[in-house]
Amino acid sequence: MNNPNASFFGQMKQNWKSALTVALVSIPLSISIAVASGASPVNGIITAVWAGLIAAIFSASRFNIVGPAGALTAILAAAALQFGPAALSSIAIIAGIIILAAWALRLDKYITYIPSSVIHGFTLSVAVVIGLNQLNFAFGLTGLTKHPEFLSNIFETFSHIQMASPAITGFFILSLAFLFAMLKFFPRLPGAVLLAPIAIAVGYFAQKGQLPFDLITLGEVFPNLKLSIFSIPDLAFTNAYVLPSATVALVAILETILSAKIADRMTKTKHDQRKEILGLGLANIGSGFFGGLPATGVFVRTSLNVR
C-alpha cells in the first residue's frame, strides 16, 4: 500500500510502475472505445489524458481511474450516428454540467439504491453491443451501410459475410485467442499491452507488402489521423443533446461510484463519494473542451492500478 503522506516525488517513486502499466493498457483500450463510439482514435487518447488528469486532481479516490469506458459506448455510438461524431465533445460538456448539478443537489446518494442486478444486466448488454458492432472490423468488411438500429447493423454484417477476408478473420481469431490465453495462464500480465506492439508490427509489414496478406489498419479507416492530445472541438448545444447527455451522466455516476467502491474493498480504504462526483463532472467538462469524449470511472483499469 502506498503512503498518502509521502512527498510528491515519494509518491512518484511508489506509483510509477502502476502508472506506466495503466497508461499502456489505456492506450489500446481508449482507441478501441473511441472507434466503437463512432469517433476518431485521437478522441479516445484525448479523453484518457485530460479526463484522467483532471479527475486525479479533483477527485477523492487514490486508485480510481477515469477515462473512456465501454459502458458509454452504445449511448455514444447512437449519438454519433444521429448527430455526427463532432457532437460527442458537446455531449461530454453537457453531461459534466448535469453531473455537477447532481453533485450540488446531493442526488448521487439516491443513485446508489439502484439494484446491482440492473447494473450487471446493463454492463452485460453493453459488452454484447460493443462486441457485435465490431464484427465488420473482425471480418474485414468495409463500405457497409450503417443503420441507427443495432439489429439492422448485425443483419447488414451477416448478409455480406461472404465478402469476409480470410486473413483478417484469421488474425482476429488468433488475437482473441491470445487475449484469452493470457487471461488464463498469465493473469498478472495485461494481454492488451503485449498484443498491441505485435499487431502494429504485423500491420506495418502487411502495408509494406512484406506479408502474403493485407490487413485494414486504422490509417486506412481514418486517413486524416494525426496524433494529438488537444483539438479544438466544434461545439454546439441543442435540446436534442440533453437526453443522451443525461443518460451519459447517470451511467457515469454509477460506474464511477462502483469503481471507487471496488478500489476501496481491494485496498481497505474509504473515499469521499461527493468529492469523487465533483471530480467526475469537472473531468467530463475538461475532456469535452479539449476535444475528447465523455468519461467515467472504469473497473478494469482501476483494479489493474490497485494490483
Short mmCIF file of all heavy atoms in Angstrom, two decimals, residues 167-228:
data_model
loop_
_atom_site.label_atom_id
_atom_site.label_comp_id
_atom_site.label_asym_id
_atom_site.label_seq_id
_atom_site.Cartn_x
_atom_site.Cartn_y
_atom_site.Cartn_z
N ALA A 167 -7.87 -13.64 -44.22
CA ALA A 167 -6.67 -13.22 -43.49
C ALA A 167 -7.05 -12.38 -42.27
O ALA A 167 -6.53 -12.60 -41.16
CB ALA A 167 -5.74 -12.43 -44.41
N ILE A 168 -7.94 -11.41 -42.47
CA ILE A 168 -8.34 -10.53 -41.36
C ILE A 168 -9.11 -11.31 -40.31
O ILE A 168 -8.89 -11.14 -39.10
CB ILE A 168 -9.17 -9.34 -41.90
CG1 ILE A 168 -8.30 -8.45 -42.79
CG2 ILE A 168 -9.78 -8.53 -40.76
CD1 ILE A 168 -9.04 -7.31 -43.44
N THR A 169 -10.01 -12.18 -40.76
CA THR A 169 -10.78 -13.00 -39.82
C THR A 169 -9.85 -13.92 -39.02
O THR A 169 -10.00 -14.06 -37.80
CB THR A 169 -11.82 -13.85 -40.58
OG1 THR A 169 -12.66 -13.00 -41.36
CG2 THR A 169 -12.68 -14.64 -39.60
N GLY A 170 -8.89 -14.52 -39.69
CA GLY A 170 -7.94 -15.38 -39.01
C GLY A 170 -7.10 -14.63 -37.99
O GLY A 170 -6.86 -15.12 -36.88
N PHE A 171 -6.65 -13.42 -38.35
CA PHE A 171 -5.85 -12.62 -37.43
C PHE A 171 -6.69 -12.20 -36.22
O PHE A 171 -6.19 -12.18 -35.09
CB PHE A 171 -5.31 -11.38 -38.14
CG PHE A 171 -4.30 -10.62 -37.33
CD1 PHE A 171 -3.06 -11.15 -37.08
CD2 PHE A 171 -4.61 -9.38 -36.82
CE1 PHE A 171 -2.12 -10.45 -36.33
CE2 PHE A 171 -3.69 -8.66 -36.07
CZ PHE A 171 -2.44 -9.20 -35.81
N PHE A 172 -7.96 -11.92 -36.45
CA PHE A 172 -8.87 -11.58 -35.35
C PHE A 172 -9.01 -12.75 -34.39
O PHE A 172 -8.92 -12.58 -33.16
CB PHE A 172 -10.23 -11.17 -35.91
CG PHE A 172 -11.36 -11.27 -34.92
CD1 PHE A 172 -11.47 -10.36 -33.87
CD2 PHE A 172 -12.30 -12.29 -35.01
CE1 PHE A 172 -12.50 -10.46 -32.94
CE2 PHE A 172 -13.33 -12.39 -34.10
CZ PHE A 172 -13.43 -11.47 -33.06
N ILE A 173 -9.22 -13.95 -34.92
CA ILE A 173 -9.39 -15.14 -34.08
C ILE A 173 -8.12 -15.42 -33.28
O ILE A 173 -8.17 -15.72 -32.08
CB ILE A 173 -9.77 -16.35 -34.94
CG1 ILE A 173 -11.16 -16.14 -35.55
CG2 ILE A 173 -9.75 -17.64 -34.12
CD1 ILE A 173 -11.56 -17.20 -36.57
N LEU A 174 -6.95 -15.30 -33.91
CA LEU A 174 -5.69 -15.51 -33.21
C LEU A 174 -5.48 -14.48 -32.11
O LEU A 174 -5.02 -14.80 -31.00
CB LEU A 174 -4.53 -15.45 -34.21
CG LEU A 174 -4.37 -16.63 -35.16
CD1 LEU A 174 -3.26 -16.38 -36.16
CD2 LEU A 174 -4.10 -17.92 -34.38
N SER A 175 -5.83 -13.22 -32.39
CA SER A 175 -5.68 -12.16 -31.38
C SER A 175 -6.59 -12.41 -30.19
O SER A 175 -6.19 -12.26 -29.03
CB SER A 175 -6.00 -10.80 -32.01
OG SER A 175 -5.12 -10.52 -33.08
N LEU A 176 -7.83 -12.81 -30.47
CA LEU A 176 -8.78 -13.09 -29.40
C LEU A 176 -8.31 -14.28 -28.56
O LEU A 176 -8.38 -14.24 -27.32
CB LEU A 176 -10.17 -13.37 -30.00
CG LEU A 176 -11.36 -13.35 -29.04
CD1 LEU A 176 -11.52 -11.97 -28.43
CD2 LEU A 176 -12.64 -13.74 -29.78
N ALA A 177 -7.81 -15.31 -29.23
CA ALA A 177 -7.30 -16.48 -28.51
C ALA A 177 -6.10 -16.10 -27.65
O ALA A 177 -5.95 -16.59 -26.52
CB ALA A 177 -6.91 -17.57 -29.52
N PHE A 178 -5.24 -15.22 -28.16
CA PHE A 178 -4.08 -14.76 -27.39
C PHE A 178 -4.51 -14.05 -26.11
O PHE A 178 -3.96 -14.30 -25.03
CB PHE A 178 -3.24 -13.82 -28.26
CG PHE A 178 -2.09 -13.18 -27.53
CD1 PHE A 178 -0.89 -13.86 -27.37
CD2 PHE A 178 -2.21 -11.91 -27.01
CE1 PHE A 178 0.17 -13.28 -26.70
CE2 PHE A 178 -1.15 -11.31 -26.34
CZ PHE A 178 0.05 -12.00 -26.19
N LEU A 179 -5.53 -13.18 -26.20
CA LEU A 179 -6.00 -12.45 -25.02
C LEU A 179 -6.60 -13.40 -23.98
O LEU A 179 -6.35 -13.25 -22.78
CB LEU A 179 -7.04 -11.41 -25.44
CG LEU A 179 -6.50 -10.22 -26.26
CD1 LEU A 179 -7.65 -9.33 -26.71
CD2 LEU A 179 -5.50 -9.42 -25.46
N PHE A 180 -7.37 -14.38 -24.43
CA PHE A 180 -7.95 -15.35 -23.50
C PHE A 180 -6.86 -16.22 -22.87
O PHE A 180 -6.93 -16.56 -21.68
CB PHE A 180 -8.99 -16.23 -24.21
CG PHE A 180 -10.34 -15.59 -24.30
CD1 PHE A 180 -10.88 -15.23 -25.53
CD2 PHE A 180 -11.09 -15.35 -23.16
CE1 PHE A 180 -12.13 -14.63 -25.61
CE2 PHE A 180 -12.35 -14.76 -23.23
CZ PHE A 180 -12.87 -14.40 -24.47
N ALA A 181 -5.87 -16.59 -23.65
CA ALA A 181 -4.77 -17.41 -23.12
C ALA A 181 -3.98 -16.63 -22.06
O ALA A 181 -3.60 -17.18 -21.02
CB ALA A 181 -3.85 -17.84 -24.26
N MET A 182 -3.73 -15.35 -22.32
CA MET A 182 -3.02 -14.52 -21.34
C MET A 182 -3.83 -14.42 -20.06
O MET A 182 -3.28 -14.47 -18.95
CB MET A 182 -2.78 -13.13 -21.93
CG MET A 182 -1.76 -13.09 -23.05
SD MET A 182 -0.10 -13.58 -22.52
CE MET A 182 0.24 -12.34 -21.27
N LEU A 183 -5.15 -14.27 -20.21
CA LEU A 183 -6.01 -14.15 -19.03
C LEU A 183 -6.01 -15.42 -18.20
O LEU A 183 -6.07 -15.37 -16.96
CB LEU A 183 -7.44 -13.82 -19.49
CG LEU A 183 -8.43 -13.37 -18.42
CD1 LEU A 183 -7.98 -12.07 -17.76
CD2 LEU A 183 -9.82 -13.19 -19.03
N LYS A 184 -5.90 -16.56 -18.86
CA LYS A 184 -5.94 -17.84 -18.15
C LYS A 184 -4.60 -18.23 -17.55
O LYS A 184 -4.52 -18.64 -16.39
CB LYS A 184 -6.43 -18.95 -19.09
CG LYS A 184 -6.52 -20.32 -18.44
CD LYS A 184 -7.11 -21.35 -19.37
CE LYS A 184 -7.15 -22.74 -18.74
NZ LYS A 184 -7.92 -22.77 -17.48
N PHE A 185 -3.53 -18.10 -18.33
CA PHE A 185 -2.23 -18.62 -17.91
C PHE A 185 -1.32 -17.57 -17.29
O PHE A 185 -0.46 -17.89 -16.48
CB PHE A 185 -1.52 -19.28 -19.10
CG PHE A 185 -2.27 -20.45 -19.68
CD1 PHE A 185 -2.88 -20.36 -20.92
CD2 PHE A 185 -2.38 -21.64 -18.96
CE1 PHE A 185 -3.58 -21.43 -21.45
CE2 PHE A 185 -3.08 -22.72 -19.49
CZ PHE A 185 -3.68 -22.62 -20.73
N PHE A 186 -1.50 -16.30 -17.68
CA PHE A 186 -0.66 -15.21 -17.14
C PHE A 186 -1.54 -14.04 -16.74
O PHE A 186 -1.46 -12.95 -17.33
CB PHE A 186 0.38 -14.76 -18.18
CG PHE A 186 1.23 -15.87 -18.71
CD1 PHE A 186 0.94 -16.46 -19.93
CD2 PHE A 186 2.32 -16.33 -17.98
CE1 PHE A 186 1.73 -17.48 -20.43
CE2 PHE A 186 3.11 -17.36 -18.47
CZ PHE A 186 2.81 -17.94 -19.69
N PRO A 187 -2.42 -14.23 -15.76
CA PRO A 187 -3.42 -13.19 -15.42
C PRO A 187 -2.80 -11.89 -14.91
O PRO A 187 -3.46 -10.84 -14.98
CB PRO A 187 -4.27 -13.86 -14.33
CG PRO A 187 -3.39 -14.93 -13.75
CD PRO A 187 -2.54 -15.42 -14.89
N ARG A 188 -1.58 -11.93 -14.42
CA ARG A 188 -0.96 -10.72 -13.91
C ARG A 188 -0.35 -9.85 -15.02
O ARG A 188 0.02 -8.70 -14.78
CB ARG A 188 0.12 -11.06 -12.88
CG ARG A 188 -0.43 -11.72 -11.61
CD ARG A 188 0.67 -11.93 -10.59
NE ARG A 188 1.22 -10.66 -10.13
CZ ARG A 188 0.69 -9.92 -9.17
NH1 ARG A 188 -0.42 -10.33 -8.55
NH2 ARG A 188 1.25 -8.79 -8.80
N LEU A 189 -0.24 -10.41 -16.23
CA LEU A 189 0.30 -9.65 -17.35
C LEU A 189 -0.84 -9.14 -18.23
O LEU A 189 -1.67 -9.93 -18.68
CB LEU A 189 1.24 -10.53 -18.19
CG LEU A 189 2.52 -11.01 -17.51
CD1 LEU A 189 3.30 -11.92 -18.44
CD2 LEU A 189 3.38 -9.82 -17.09
N PRO A 190 -0.93 -7.84 -18.49
CA PRO A 190 -2.01 -7.30 -19.33
C PRO A 190 -1.82 -7.71 -20.79
O PRO A 190 -0.87 -7.27 -21.45
CB PRO A 190 -1.89 -5.79 -19.15
CG PRO A 190 -0.49 -5.55 -18.69
CD PRO A 190 -0.08 -6.78 -17.93
N GLY A 191 -2.70 -8.55 -21.29
CA GLY A 191 -2.58 -9.05 -22.66
C GLY A 191 -2.64 -7.96 -23.70
O GLY A 191 -1.96 -8.04 -24.74
N ALA A 192 -3.45 -6.92 -23.44
CA ALA A 192 -3.60 -5.84 -24.42
C ALA A 192 -2.28 -5.12 -24.66
O ALA A 192 -1.98 -4.70 -25.79
CB ALA A 192 -4.65 -4.84 -23.94
N VAL A 193 -1.47 -4.97 -23.61
CA VAL A 193 -0.17 -4.30 -23.74
C VAL A 193 0.76 -5.11 -24.63
O VAL A 193 1.50 -4.57 -25.46
CB VAL A 193 0.47 -4.08 -22.35
CG1 VAL A 193 1.88 -3.55 -22.49
CG2 VAL A 193 -0.37 -3.12 -21.53
N LEU A 194 0.75 -6.43 -24.48
CA LEU A 194 1.63 -7.29 -25.27
C LEU A 194 1.13 -7.44 -26.70
O LEU A 194 1.93 -7.56 -27.64
CB LEU A 194 1.73 -8.67 -24.61
CG LEU A 194 2.30 -8.68 -23.19
CD1 LEU A 194 2.28 -10.10 -22.62
CD2 LEU A 194 3.71 -8.12 -23.15
N LEU A 195 -0.20 -7.44 -26.88
CA LEU A 195 -0.76 -7.65 -28.21
C LEU A 195 -0.57 -6.42 -29.11
O LEU A 195 -0.36 -6.57 -30.32
CB LEU A 195 -2.24 -8.00 -28.11
CG LEU A 195 -2.98 -8.25 -29.42
CD1 LEU A 195 -2.35 -9.41 -30.18
CD2 LEU A 195 -4.46 -8.52 -29.16
N ALA A 196 -0.66 -5.23 -28.53
CA ALA A 196 -0.61 -4.00 -29.33
C ALA A 196 0.66 -3.90 -30.19
O ALA A 196 0.55 -3.67 -31.41
CB ALA A 196 -0.76 -2.78 -28.43
N PRO A 197 1.86 -4.05 -29.62
CA PRO A 197 3.05 -3.93 -30.49
C PRO A 197 3.14 -5.04 -31.54
O PRO A 197 3.64 -4.81 -32.65
CB PRO A 197 4.22 -4.01 -29.50
CG PRO A 197 3.67 -4.63 -28.26
CD PRO A 197 2.25 -4.21 -28.21
N ILE A 198 2.65 -6.24 -31.19
CA ILE A 198 2.64 -7.33 -32.18
C ILE A 198 1.74 -6.96 -33.36
O ILE A 198 2.11 -7.12 -34.53
CB ILE A 198 2.16 -8.64 -31.53
CG1 ILE A 198 3.14 -9.09 -30.44
CG2 ILE A 198 2.00 -9.74 -32.59
CD1 ILE A 198 2.64 -10.28 -29.63
N ALA A 199 0.55 -6.43 -33.03
CA ALA A 199 -0.41 -6.05 -34.08
C ALA A 199 0.14 -4.90 -34.93
O ALA A 199 -0.04 -4.87 -36.15
CB ALA A 199 -1.73 -5.65 -33.44
N ILE A 200 0.83 -3.94 -34.28
CA ILE A 200 1.42 -2.82 -35.02
C ILE A 200 2.45 -3.34 -36.02
O ILE A 200 2.49 -2.92 -37.18
CB ILE A 200 2.06 -1.81 -34.05
CG1 ILE A 200 0.97 -1.08 -33.26
CG2 ILE A 200 2.92 -0.80 -34.81
CD1 ILE A 200 1.50 -0.20 -32.15
N ALA A 201 3.30 -4.28 -35.57
CA ALA A 201 4.33 -4.83 -36.45
C ALA A 201 3.71 -5.58 -37.63
O ALA A 201 4.13 -5.41 -38.78
CB ALA A 201 5.24 -5.77 -35.65
N VAL A 202 2.68 -6.39 -37.34
CA VAL A 202 2.02 -7.14 -38.42
C VAL A 202 1.36 -6.19 -39.40
O VAL A 202 1.47 -6.36 -40.63
CB VAL A 202 0.99 -8.13 -37.83
CG1 VAL A 202 0.17 -8.78 -38.94
CG2 VAL A 202 1.67 -9.20 -37.00
N GLY A 203 0.67 -5.16 -38.88
CA GLY A 203 0.03 -4.18 -39.75
C GLY A 203 1.03 -3.43 -40.61
O GLY A 203 0.78 -3.18 -41.81
N TYR A 204 2.19 -3.09 -40.02
CA TYR A 204 3.22 -2.35 -40.75
C TYR A 204 3.76 -3.18 -41.92
O TYR A 204 3.83 -2.72 -43.07
CB TYR A 204 4.35 -1.96 -39.80
CG TYR A 204 5.55 -1.33 -40.49
CD1 TYR A 204 5.54 0.01 -40.84
CD2 TYR A 204 6.67 -2.10 -40.79
CE1 TYR A 204 6.63 0.59 -41.48
CE2 TYR A 204 7.77 -1.53 -41.43
CZ TYR A 204 7.75 -0.19 -41.77
OH TYR A 204 8.82 0.38 -42.40
N PHE A 205 4.15 -4.43 -41.64
CA PHE A 205 4.73 -5.26 -42.68
C PHE A 205 3.69 -5.66 -43.73
O PHE A 205 4.03 -5.84 -44.90
CB PHE A 205 5.37 -6.50 -42.05
CG PHE A 205 6.64 -6.21 -41.31
CD1 PHE A 205 6.72 -6.39 -39.94
CD2 PHE A 205 7.76 -5.73 -41.99
CE1 PHE A 205 7.88 -6.11 -39.25
CE2 PHE A 205 8.93 -5.45 -41.30
CZ PHE A 205 9.00 -5.63 -39.93
N ALA A 206 2.42 -5.78 -43.31
CA ALA A 206 1.36 -6.07 -44.28
C ALA A 206 1.18 -4.89 -45.23
O ALA A 206 0.99 -5.08 -46.45
CB ALA A 206 0.06 -6.39 -43.55
N GLN A 207 1.21 -3.66 -44.69
CA GLN A 207 1.06 -2.48 -45.52
C GLN A 207 2.24 -2.31 -46.48
O GLN A 207 2.08 -1.77 -47.57
CB GLN A 207 0.95 -1.24 -44.63
CG GLN A 207 -0.38 -1.13 -43.89
CD GLN A 207 -1.53 -0.88 -44.84
OE1 GLN A 207 -1.59 0.15 -45.50
NE2 GLN A 207 -2.45 -1.82 -44.94
N LYS A 208 3.43 -2.75 -46.07
CA LYS A 208 4.62 -2.65 -46.92
C LYS A 208 4.70 -3.78 -47.95
O LYS A 208 5.63 -3.84 -48.74
CB LYS A 208 5.88 -2.67 -46.05
CG LYS A 208 6.03 -1.47 -45.13
CD LYS A 208 6.19 -0.18 -45.91
CE LYS A 208 6.40 1.00 -44.98
NZ LYS A 208 6.56 2.27 -45.73
N GLY A 209 3.70 -4.67 -47.93
CA GLY A 209 3.68 -5.77 -48.88
C GLY A 209 4.66 -6.87 -48.58
O GLY A 209 4.98 -7.69 -49.46
N GLN A 210 5.16 -6.92 -47.34
CA GLN A 210 6.14 -7.94 -46.97
C GLN A 210 5.50 -9.18 -46.34
O GLN A 210 6.20 -10.08 -45.90
CB GLN A 210 7.17 -7.33 -46.02
CG GLN A 210 7.96 -6.19 -46.66
CD GLN A 210 8.96 -5.56 -45.70
OE1 GLN A 210 9.23 -6.10 -44.64
NE2 GLN A 210 9.50 -4.41 -46.10
N LEU A 211 4.18 -9.20 -46.30
CA LEU A 211 3.44 -10.37 -45.82
C LEU A 211 2.47 -10.80 -46.92
O LEU A 211 2.00 -9.95 -47.71
CB LEU A 211 2.67 -10.03 -44.53
CG LEU A 211 3.53 -9.74 -43.29
CD1 LEU A 211 2.64 -9.35 -42.10
CD2 LEU A 211 4.40 -10.93 -42.91
N PRO A 212 2.13 -12.08 -46.97
CA PRO A 212 1.29 -12.57 -48.08
C PRO A 212 -0.20 -12.26 -47.90
O PRO A 212 -1.04 -12.94 -48.50
CB PRO A 212 1.55 -14.08 -48.05
CG PRO A 212 1.88 -14.38 -46.63
CD PRO A 212 2.63 -13.17 -46.13
N PHE A 213 -0.54 -11.29 -47.09
CA PHE A 213 -1.94 -10.91 -46.90
C PHE A 213 -2.01 -9.43 -46.56
O PHE A 213 -0.99 -8.80 -46.24
CB PHE A 213 -2.59 -11.74 -45.79
CG PHE A 213 -1.85 -11.70 -44.47
CD1 PHE A 213 -2.04 -10.67 -43.57
CD2 PHE A 213 -0.96 -12.73 -44.14
CE1 PHE A 213 -1.36 -10.63 -42.37
CE2 PHE A 213 -0.28 -12.70 -42.94
CZ PHE A 213 -0.47 -11.65 -42.05
N ASP A 214 -3.19 -8.87 -46.63
CA ASP A 214 -3.40 -7.45 -46.35
C ASP A 214 -4.32 -7.31 -45.16
O ASP A 214 -5.24 -8.12 -44.96
CB ASP A 214 -4.02 -6.75 -47.57
CG ASP A 214 -4.05 -5.24 -47.40
OD1 ASP A 214 -3.24 -4.72 -46.60
OD2 ASP A 214 -4.89 -4.59 -48.04
N LEU A 215 -4.09 -6.30 -44.34
CA LEU A 215 -4.93 -6.01 -43.18
C LEU A 215 -5.43 -4.58 -43.25
O LEU A 215 -4.71 -3.68 -43.71
CB LEU A 215 -4.15 -6.21 -41.87
CG LEU A 215 -3.67 -7.63 -41.54
CD1 LEU A 215 -2.84 -7.61 -40.26
CD2 LEU A 215 -4.86 -8.58 -41.38
N ILE A 216 -6.64 -4.36 -42.79
CA ILE A 216 -7.17 -3.00 -42.70
C ILE A 216 -6.63 -2.36 -41.43
O ILE A 216 -6.83 -2.88 -40.33
CB ILE A 216 -8.71 -3.00 -42.67
CG1 ILE A 216 -9.26 -3.64 -43.94
CG2 ILE A 216 -9.25 -1.58 -42.53
CD1 ILE A 216 -10.76 -3.83 -43.92
N THR A 217 -5.91 -1.26 -41.55
CA THR A 217 -5.34 -0.58 -40.39
C THR A 217 -6.14 0.68 -40.07
O THR A 217 -6.96 1.14 -40.87
CB THR A 217 -3.87 -0.19 -40.66
OG1 THR A 217 -3.83 0.75 -41.74
CG2 THR A 217 -3.05 -1.42 -41.02
N LEU A 218 -5.88 1.24 -38.89
CA LEU A 218 -6.55 2.48 -38.50
C LEU A 218 -6.23 3.61 -39.47
O LEU A 218 -7.05 4.51 -39.69
CB LEU A 218 -6.15 2.88 -37.08
CG LEU A 218 -6.73 2.04 -35.94
CD1 LEU A 218 -6.18 2.52 -34.61
CD2 LEU A 218 -8.25 2.10 -35.93
N GLY A 219 -5.03 3.57 -40.05
CA GLY A 219 -4.66 4.61 -41.01
C GLY A 219 -5.53 4.59 -42.25
O GLY A 219 -5.75 5.63 -42.88
N GLU A 220 -6.03 3.42 -42.63
CA GLU A 220 -6.94 3.32 -43.78
C GLU A 220 -8.36 3.75 -43.42
O GLU A 220 -9.04 4.39 -44.20
CB GLU A 220 -6.94 1.89 -44.31
CG GLU A 220 -5.62 1.44 -44.92
CD GLU A 220 -5.68 0.01 -45.40
OE1 GLU A 220 -6.45 -0.29 -46.34
OE2 GLU A 220 -4.98 -0.81 -44.81
N VAL A 221 -8.78 3.37 -42.21
CA VAL A 221 -10.14 3.73 -41.77
C VAL A 221 -10.22 5.22 -41.48
O VAL A 221 -11.23 5.88 -41.76
CB VAL A 221 -10.52 2.92 -40.52
CG1 VAL A 221 -11.93 3.29 -40.06
CG2 VAL A 221 -10.45 1.43 -40.82
N PHE A 222 -9.12 5.78 -40.92
CA PHE A 222 -9.08 7.21 -40.60
C PHE A 222 -7.88 7.82 -41.33
O PHE A 222 -6.80 7.99 -40.74
CB PHE A 222 -8.94 7.43 -39.09
CG PHE A 222 -10.04 6.81 -38.28
CD1 PHE A 222 -9.90 5.53 -37.74
CD2 PHE A 222 -11.24 7.48 -38.06
CE1 PHE A 222 -10.90 4.96 -37.00
CE2 PHE A 222 -12.25 6.90 -37.32
CZ PHE A 222 -12.09 5.64 -36.79
N PRO A 223 -8.03 8.17 -42.61
CA PRO A 223 -6.88 8.63 -43.42
C PRO A 223 -6.27 9.94 -42.94
O PRO A 223 -5.11 10.22 -43.24
CB PRO A 223 -7.48 8.77 -44.82
CG PRO A 223 -8.95 8.89 -44.62
CD PRO A 223 -9.27 8.08 -43.41
N ASN A 224 -7.04 10.76 -42.23
CA ASN A 224 -6.52 12.05 -41.75
C ASN A 224 -6.08 11.98 -40.30
O ASN A 224 -6.04 12.99 -39.59
CB ASN A 224 -7.59 13.13 -41.90
CG ASN A 224 -7.99 13.34 -43.35
OD1 ASN A 224 -7.15 13.32 -44.25
ND2 ASN A 224 -9.29 13.52 -43.61
N LEU A 225 -5.73 10.80 -39.83
CA LEU A 225 -5.38 10.58 -38.44
C LEU A 225 -4.07 11.28 -38.10
O LEU A 225 -3.04 11.06 -38.73
CB LEU A 225 -5.25 9.08 -38.17
CG LEU A 225 -5.15 8.62 -36.72
CD1 LEU A 225 -6.43 8.96 -35.96
CD2 LEU A 225 -4.90 7.12 -36.67
N LYS A 226 -4.11 12.15 -37.08
CA LYS A 226 -2.91 12.85 -36.59
C LYS A 226 -2.92 12.79 -35.07
O LYS A 226 -3.88 13.21 -34.43
CB LYS A 226 -2.90 14.31 -37.05
CG LYS A 226 -2.72 14.49 -38.55
CD LYS A 226 -2.67 15.95 -38.93
CE LYS A 226 -2.47 16.12 -40.44
NZ LYS A 226 -2.43 17.55 -40.83
N LEU A 227 -1.83 12.25 -34.51
CA LEU A 227 -1.75 12.10 -33.07
C LEU A 227 -1.72 13.46 -32.39
O LEU A 227 -0.92 14.33 -32.74
CB LEU A 227 -0.51 11.30 -32.68
CG LEU A 227 -0.33 11.02 -31.20
CD1 LEU A 227 -1.50 10.20 -30.66
CD2 LEU A 227 0.97 10.29 -30.93
N SER A 228 -2.60 13.65 -31.41
CA SER A 228 -2.66 14.91 -30.68
C SER A 228 -3.33 14.66 -29.33
O SER A 228 -4.15 13.76 -29.21
CB SER A 228 -3.47 15.95 -31.48
OG SER A 228 -3.69 17.12 -30.72
#
